[in-house]
Structure formats: structure tokens, C-alpha cells
Amino acid sequence: PGASPTKTESKIPDGATRVGSSYFLLFSDRITRTEAAARCQQMGGKLAAITSERIFEDYVNDARKRSTFNAFWTSGIFDNGERKWTWDGHEDRFSTKFLRDRGDISSPAHEFLVMDINTGQLFPKPDMHKQCFICQWEK
């Protein structure tokens, strides 16, 4: 009998901040969204879903005080078939209240979302744009 595949445990990096059942860590590397998503996955996480004011208040707001970044990649992605925003790789329901421009609800200029670290608002950017990013892990 062959060896059964082993499940890779998510190793939450030192310095990650717990908010609810998730852990978040901001990375200062300015890279494309595709690169950011791959980097998070390599570390056993995924790009963060900023689903509540609590995540913003408990983590993003604190990270802002320690950094000079103005925005970061999130897992927000536009589903062209459904014509709506979703959190890619997350079960959480997307709330449009975090969008900076109400016009971005059904016809955004780009398909990926970054969060303005000062205001907590989400706005679309193209994948090729280079931004820092936040990864999220579940315990």
C-alpha cells in the first residue's frame, strides 16, 4: 500500500495578528496581485478578506501606524459572470459598503481590489500594479 498524501499544516508566521479566528500579516514587498496571491499560498495562507470593521480596527488601523504604505492587495475579485465582487478563496459574503466608489459595484474599471490603508475603503486596480499585500491564515 502506498503512503497516503499528507495535509500541509498552515504555519502562521511570527508577527501575525489574531482577529477573531483568523491571523493577518502585512508584507511590504510591492508586487503584482498574482505574485501576492502565490506568496500567501506558499506560506499556507491566502490574500486577506477584509470582511468587517473589526478587522480594519484591530489590524489594518494598527498596521497603518507602523508603516508608510498607502494601500495593499486583498482577495477581492470581480466575478464577471455574476457581475459582483467576491472574496476569492473565502466563504465570507462580500459587503459593498467598503467600496470607495459606488460605481464600482457592477462595472468596475479593474477586476482586483486594494484597500486604502488610511480610510479602509476598497478600490479596483489592475493585476500588473505593484502593491504591498496582507495574507490571512485560519487556525
Side-chain angles (χ1 to χ4, degrees):
S4 61
T6 58
K7 183 180 177 203
T8 304
E9 287 295 317
S10 175
K11 167 96 173 77
I12 298 166
D14 292 339
T17 300
R18 184 178 180 177
V19 179
S21 62
S22 297
Y23 291 79
F24 297 87
L25 186 58
L26 176 66
F27 292 88
S28 61
D29 307 18
R30 292 182 184 268
I31 57 180
T32 67
R33 186 192 182 275
T34 299
E35 292 166 334
R39 184 98 50 93
C40 290
Q41 187 174 24
Q42 288 168 353
M43 293 182 286
K46 51 193 163 190
L47 279 172
I50 312 299
T51 57
S52 71
E53 283 91 357
R54 182 172 178 216
I55 295 169
F56 180 77
E57 292 299 325
D58 288 358
Y59 181 69
V60 177
N61 200 28
D62 182 56
R64 176 182 64 182
K65 295 172 192 168
R66 296 179 281 112
S67 69
T68 58
F69 315 121
N70 59 1
F72 58 83
W73 287 117
T74 69
S75 67
I77 187 168
F78 193 73
D79 181 330
N80 277 305
E82 296 286 324
R83 306 297 306 158
K84 68 178 185 176
W85 288 102
T86 64
W87 292 115
D88 189 29
H90 298 268
E91 299 293 319
D92 303 300
R93 192 169 156 266
F94 187 90
S95 172
T96 57
K97 71 180 177 178
F98 294 109
L99 289 174
R100 181 167 67 186
D101 183 350
R102 304 316 283 167
D104 287 330
I105 291 175
S106 60
S107 56
H110 306 288
E111 68 274 21
F112 302 110
L113 287 177
V114 295
M115 176 173 266
D116 182 313
I117 203 165
N118 293 307
T119 66
Q121 294 175 315
L122 297 163
F123 59 99
K125 283 278 187 182
D127 176 59
M128 66 195 141
H129 189 80
K130 295 196 175 186
Q131 257 345 120
C132 57
F133 60 102
I134 289 186
C135 293
Q136 177 177 354
W137 293 264
E138 303 297 325
K139 188 78 173 170

